[in-house]
Amino acid sequence: LPILIAALSLAAAGMLIVVLRAIVLPLISVALNLLTVGASFGIVALLFQGDPPPFGGPGYADIISLLGTFTIIFGLSLDYQVFILTRMREAWLDKHDLEHAITFGIDRTGRVITGAAAIMGGVFIAFTFSDITVIKQTGVGLATAVLIDATAVRLVLLPAAMRLSGRSTFWLPAWLDRRLPQP
């Protein structure tokens, strides 16, 4: 699991650097992804560990469930990120105003992201009715991660982190800019 987390985090950061042509914003994004996954794993641990576990099962989080949850959530979260962050970058390039970029990105993508998360959350909640512990744990992990990511993380923590990083949010060194593929 740690190798998978490191590999996907590096791959996501690299891809986002190319797409967004920035260093800080992709790092914020990957850090928030990891926060979402950590919160999801915490909910799974809370509900499936103990004696007796509140949601049943053997009393531990199954590694297959955790691997599946991590990879699926990382991919879904990247979708959200590409939607919202590319809109923010467009607004940044237009006016070089961070507040405008944040507001524009959320205004243009907030409803779509929230609607998609609600649909996926509903589908993932259906998994929780399974008698198979791995499927139930995966459903709980995915549903909580999608709902946390699309609400608290993308609509609250992302703008806050961007405001804290200020104008460096969209910074890219000139030498790297010259080496990246041009849009």
Side-chain angles (χ1 to χ4, degrees), residues 15-109:
M15 184 269 313
L16 288 172
I17 287 170
V18 171
V19 169
L20 300 172
R21 303 189 75 76
I23 298 286
V24 175
L25 189 55
L27 296 178
I28 290 170
S29 186
V30 169
L32 292 177
N33 257 6
L34 295 174
L35 181 70
T36 298
V37 171
S40 171
F41 284 5
I43 296 294
V44 169
L46 179 69
L47 297 177
F48 291 97
Q49 291 182 349
D51 188 27
F55 268 38
Y60 58 86
D62 188 277
I63 189 65
I64 300 299
S65 169
L66 296 178
L67 287 170
T69 299
F70 176 76
T71 55
I72 292 168
I73 286 307
F74 221 76
L76 290 174
S77 187
L78 280 175
D79 281 348
Y80 295 153
Q81 289 174 41
V82 170
F83 289 143
I84 195 168
L85 298 179
T86 54
R87 296 297 80 77
M88 289 177 175
R89 176 167 162 65
E90 288 172 4
W92 171 258
L93 292 174
D94 184 40
K95 296 190 178 183
H96 289 279
D97 178 356
L98 185 61
E99 286 300 317
H100 171 70
I102 292 169
T103 303
F104 182 83
I106 291 172
D107 283 350
R108 296 283 187 219
T109 63

